[in-house]
Amino acid sequence: MATGIGTFFKNAKSFINIRFAGYIRYRGNNRTFLNEHYTENKIWRQTYDLVFPRNAAGNTGLVLCIHGGAWVAGNKDSYTGSLFQVSEEKGVAAACLNYRYVSDKVNFDDLIDDISAALSAIKSKGAKYGVNFDKVLLTGISAGGHLSLLYAYTQKEAAPVKPVCVVELCGPTNFEDTFFYSPENGLNPSSNPDFTRDIVANGIGCTFDPADFGSAGEAMKKYSPVNFAAENAVPTVFGHGEQDALVPYRNALDLKSKLDETDVEHTFVSFPDSGHGCEDKKSMHTVMQLFFKYIDTYLK
């Protein structure tokens, strides 16, 4: 897990262009809120960072970045540096959040609740400055990609800020894919071949045998974005490495197949010879162009 996740985070930084020293260069032109709590628990796992232009007024779009890390690692800080430039250059708000890690006491429903709570807090923060965050583009990588898809597809009408599109990379879309629980899955540490199974079991709130999902299959469906890729899904950009050893490439193909059946706008970007880190720069450039196009198209 350490090697795969380490490589993933190293490459993930380029997704929202972390390379820019945004905090130093752009802070003066933006309202900036760091490590804000979005619940009364006052814990770091439930905090957000938010940046929006000082001259923003009225309805303003929001980009929300959701970090990866197999739902049990990672944090929002991998995105914070990029928020400033996105805000200034595109004239929108940009935020990232921490969410509670999945455990035997925290499942995917709790993570969805965290995203809603964060959006509510962000919306309230904007209102204090005469800004109404009325629509949100969700974006993330790996576990963050999964949560972006699941939230946008299932909470479209209930969310405090309306999801209007998703841009994600290598997010799990179908937990019924047996590769997740195979010894070949690169997320499984050699000392614990059931590592992925245990994470997913906690996430769906139901234990299962990888050889026979049994009743857990229904729970897997509930948290698999592919099952909500229907006509009312939001426009989606998604990319995936063809050599991904953590999240099977066919997960992305499953999502593409479902979206192909609908009239929903979507673009799938394949990363040839890339693993979970989506190392191919040409394909990454394509995703980045689509990301900024979606901001212009759906947040303004």
Side-chain angles (χ1 to χ4, degrees):
M1 178 183 179
T3 301
I5 293 298
T7 300
F8 157 70
F9 277 117
K10 180 180 179 181
N11 287 284
K13 290 183 177 181
S14 64
F15 182 47
I16 312 294
N17 230 342
I18 289 293
R19 291 169 297 176
F20 291 95
Y23 187 82
I24 302 297
R25 184 176 178 184
Y26 298 104
R27 185 175 183 182
N29 298 324
N30 292 280
R31 299 192 186 278
T32 303
F33 306 91
L34 302 178
N35 296 317
E36 297 279 323
H37 295 280
Y38 58 80
T39 70
E40 296 181 355
N41 294 331
K42 303 297 182 183
I43 60 174
W44 191 64
R45 289 306 323 158
Q46 292 177 313
T47 57
Y48 69 88
D49 297 337
L50 169 65
V51 175
F52 59 92
R54 288 186 179 276
N55 62 358
N59 292 343
T60 300
L62 169 70
V63 173
L64 181 64
C65 306
I66 305 178
H67 72 79
W71 309 280
V72 295
N75 66 75
K76 63 180 175 56
D77 295 356
S78 59
Y79 285 107
T80 303
S82 66
L83 303 182
F84 302 90
Q85 186 172 16
V86 171
S87 175
E88 174 150 317
E89 293 194 358
K90 290 299 179 180
V92 298
C96 51
L97 80 154
N98 283 337
Y99 50 84
R100 288 168 290 174
Y101 291 148
V102 161
S103 69
D104 58 354
K105 296 180 176 62
V106 176
N107 63 26
F108 289 141
D109 281 336
D110 296 312
L111 273 55
I112 293 297
D113 288 345
D114 281 354
I115 296 171
S116 287
L119 285 173
S120 290
I122 289 169
K123 189 175 181 70
S124 295
K125 182 70 72 175
K128 294 180 179 179
Y129 296 88
V131 178
N132 175 40
F133 301 129
D134 61 334
K135 45 198 171 185
V136 58
L137 179 161
L138 292 106
T139 185
I141 302 173
S142 193
H146 164 257
L147 292 173
S148 295
L149 288 168
L150 187 65
Y151 192 88
Y153 286 4
T154 66
Q155 305 298 308
K156 185 176 176 181
E157 303 304 326
V161 182
K162 186 179 182 65
V164 293
C165 54
V166 174
V167 179
E168 70 90 18
L169 289 175
C170 58
T173 70
N174 183 5
F175 288 121
E176 291 185 283
D177 192 318
T178 56
F179 178 84
F180 281 115
Y181 321 107
S182 164
E184 283 75 39
N185 187 308
L187 189 60
N188 289 322
S190 58
S191 60
N192 183 2
D194 296 325
F195 184 78
T196 310
R197 181 206 62 190
D198 292 343
I199 293 176
V200 173
N202 284 333
I204 67 174
C206 183
T207 60
F208 60 91
D209 182 344
D212 181 8
F213 295 154
S215 60
E218 289 305 309
M220 290 177 177
K221 287 182 172 65
K222 177 182 177 181
Y223 300 108
S224 295
V226 69
N227 294 314
F228 303 96
E231 285 76 8
N232 62 343
V234 300
T236 304
V237 172
F238 58 113
H240 211 105
E242 295 183 18
Q243 310 303 319
D244 196 328
L246 301 180
V247 177
Y249 181 68
R250 59 178 176 252
N251 256 222
L253 297 181
D254 287 345
L255 180 61
K256 181 180 184 301
S257 178
K258 284 294 186 71
L259 289 173
D260 282 345
E261 297 172 4
T262 73
D263 292 327
V264 174
E265 178 186 345
H266 63 279
T267 303
F268 172 52
V269 180
S270 186
F271 283 67
D273 301 317
S274 289
H276 196 60
C278 294
E279 299 85 358
D280 176 47
K281 293 181 179 180
K282 181 178 180 181
S283 297
M284 183 66 77
H285 179 69
T286 298
V287 172
M288 289 303 303
Q289 287 183 313
L290 290 166
F291 169 72
F292 289 116
K293 177 184 177 182
Y294 265 36
I295 291 177
D296 290 336
T297 302
Y298 293 105
L299 292 187
K300 297 182 177 179

